[in-house]
Amino acid sequence: NGGGRKKREKPNILITGTPGTGKTTMASALAEATQFCHINIGDLVKEKNLHDGWDDQFDCYLINEDLVCDELEDLMEGGGNIVDYHGGDFFPQRWFDRVVVLQTENSVLYDRLTKRGYTGQKLTNNIECEIFQVLLEEAKESYPEEIVVALRSDCIDDMNSNVATLTDWIRSWSCQS
Ligand code: ADP
Ligand code: MN
């Protein structure tokens, strides 16, 4: 339930997890199944220039968290959004009704990231991020424990069942109001 928060007509879901765990693949399938809006934060940051330049050390944009939050505030208030990002501690807690942390077995994740062209420190950092469950810990620290759920994403069957589970959850949420 909403835990005392004012109920939106439709819920917002955050899909988080280490890069390569399948956030974008799952979020776009879920958006198609539910007609919810898929917001890929990485793409949004690039398109709308919501960053402070390129970070050479981490080989990614230096995301400007305030700009991202300002950009999304109205949309999130309306509900019906699936937000896809490898992080989530800077979003307002009230935005989300469910926080999904995708998790992938190390050797499977290693292969996916290698295929994506990750090598060296970038590859190691991401594998360690998964081993130490950094995104799950972050989600638990940033959101009420009862809305955080960890889901396995090792194979296509996992993805399909995750989409089905979340589609059911969305339907039942909308019936409760
Ligand atoms: P993320 O957005 O978390 O970085 P992607 O959705 O881009 O991850 O997926 C990374 C790669 O892994 C893609 O090639 C995708 O097709 C594949 N993939 C994602 N989820 C699964 C899954 N559950 N089973 C098998 N392959 C997957
Ligand atoms: Mn992605």
Side-chain angles (χ1 to χ4, degrees):
N1 63 44
R5 280 169 294 168
K6 200 176 151 210
K7 188 125 182 183
R8 282 175 279 271
E9 213 170 291
K10 289 183 277 182
N12 292 316
I13 303 177
L14 173 64
I15 311 287
T16 184
T18 306
T21 51
K23 299 179 295 296
T24 301
T25 309
M26 208 275 278
S28 71
L30 184 61
E32 204 176 294
T34 57
Q35 302 301 107
F36 273 34
C37 178
H38 174 196
I39 302 168
N40 183 324
I41 297 292
D43 291 349
L44 184 80
V45 163
K46 260 183 276 174
E47 275 163 31
K48 305 227 160 169
N49 267 301
L50 310 175
H51 58 78
D52 302 313
W54 187 259
D55 186 329
D56 280 323
Q57 191 194 343
F58 290 104
D59 198 26
C60 61
Y61 282 108
L62 261 171
I63 182 169
N64 184 314
E65 299 173 350
D66 292 335
L67 290 181
V68 171
C69 290
D70 287 350
E71 177 72 29
L72 292 176
E73 182 63 51
D74 290 349
L75 203 58
M76 297 305 291
E77 212 167 287
N81 300 292
I82 301 162
V83 173
D84 160 3
Y85 192 57
H86 56 266
D89 56 348
F90 64 89
F91 299 123
Q93 198 193 77
R94 65 189 152 74
W95 277 4
F96 297 105
D97 305 290
R98 202 82 172 148
V99 175
V100 176
V101 183
L102 294 182
Q103 296 189 312
T104 301
E105 206 267 312
N106 287 318
S107 62
V108 176
L109 185 65
Y110 187 95
D111 289 346
R112 286 187 199 161
L113 292 176
T114 305
K115 250 186 213 154
R116 193 183 266 187
Y118 286 21
T119 55
Q121 198 62 46
K122 191 169 184 174
L123 179 60
T124 313
N125 284 346
N126 281 296
I127 295 294
E128 283 182 358
C129 175
E130 187 63 4
I131 291 172
F132 294 113
Q133 304 199 313
V134 172
L135 276 307
L136 179 61
E137 290 309 316
E138 186 184 283
K140 284 181 179 169
E141 277 167 25
S142 308
Y143 298 93
E145 190 126 9
E146 67 271 17
I147 76 164
V148 177
V149 58
L151 295 176
R152 202 120 278 286
S153 177
D154 292 344
C155 60
I156 295 300
D157 281 352
D158 288 341
M159 194 201 63
N160 290 335
S161 94
N162 293 340
V163 169
T165 303
L166 291 168
T167 302
D168 285 350
W169 178 81
I170 285 172
R171 297 230 168 92
S172 68
W173 196 94
S174 304
C175 293
Q176 274 164 22
S177 41

